[in-house]
Amino acid sequence: MKEDSATSGIVLRPIGVGRSPYQTRDDVPKGLGARHEAEGRLEIFPEFAAGLSDIEGFSHLYVIWIFDRAADYELLGKNPTDGREHGVFATRSPRRPNPLALTVVELLGRDGAVLRVRGVDMLDGSPIVDLKPYLSSIPPQDLRRGWLDAAEAKAKSGS
Ligand SMILES: C[S@@+](CC[C@H](N)C(=O)[O-])C[C@H]1O[C@@H](n2cnc3c(N)ncnc32)[C@H](O)[C@@H]1O
């Protein structure tokens, strides 16, 4: 790919660090039906704290963070959910060309530059690069869930 001035030399600066109960990848619930209800903290660095102004009014946030402990990327990989191979961009695998992660969390409260949240799936200490309010305008009936639908149906039928 030809680099242009808009994409060359992009450097992401962490704005904070995610705190979770998970120290190793095996600690994080995985697979079909896994629920992410663990509470954690988003500790925003003092120099970015002013950017949290007015965030309290939102119930949920997108957290964009870095898979800082991922192995090298693979474009096709077996997914633990159904044990089948899928393209990386059809999964949420940590092994991506750009190790960016996206998690929706519920905002429980704010103590200065620390946000208390529910729904973390990152390892403790993962770098956070951005936060945005979660605003979904897509009606649930319009959402298609790709290969996950088949995996869930199969698990339900027990076959
Ligand atoms: C399937 S990914 C989903 C993460 C995020 N919700 C997303 O969709 O981008 C979650 C898994 O990433 C792994 N993980 C969590 N934090 C990580 C980190 N800092 N570096 C590498 N892998 C990590 C854990 O194994 C966890 O089960």
Side-chain angles (χ1 to χ4, degrees), residues 20 22 24-31 36 63-71 79-81 91-96 99-104 119-127:
S20 83
Y22 307 129
T24 73
R25 271 174 279 177
D26 289 342
D27 296 340
V28 188
K30 280 188 187 57
H36 295 290
V63 185
I64 301 167
W65 50 279
I66 305 286
F67 289 117
D68 62 339
R69 279 153 271 181
N79 196 278
T81 306
T91 74
R92 309 196 68 130
S93 165
R95 302 182 60 180
R96 323 183 71 77
L100 287 172
L102 175 69
T103 299
V104 175
V120 289
D121 62 353
M122 74 265 293
L123 294 179
D124 189 50
S126 298

Side-chain angles (χ1 to χ4, degrees), residues 33-97:
R35 298 185 67 83
H36 295 290
E37 291 179 340
E39 293 189 14
R41 299 191 311 279
L42 310 178
E43 298 177 352
I44 305 307
F45 299 144
E47 62 269 39
F48 299 107
L52 297 174
S53 180
D54 296 330
I55 205 163
E56 297 90 338
F58 293 93
S59 63
H60 292 78
L61 303 174
Y62 289 112
V63 185
I64 301 167
W65 50 279
I66 305 286
F67 289 117
D68 62 339
R69 279 153 271 181
D72 200 6
Y73 74 86
E74 51 180 18
L75 295 180
L76 284 172
K78 258 198 189 156
N79 196 278
T81 306
D82 64 353
R84 293 180 174 207
E85 200 167 72
H86 303 282
V88 66
F89 304 124
T91 74
R92 309 196 68 130
S93 165
R95 302 182 60 180
R96 323 183 71 77

Side-chain angles (χ1 to χ4, degrees), residues 41-42 52 56 109-116:
R41 299 191 311 279
L42 310 178
L52 297 174
E56 297 90 338
R110 175 180 168 192
D111 307 311
V114 177
L115 302 179
R116 285 179 287 107

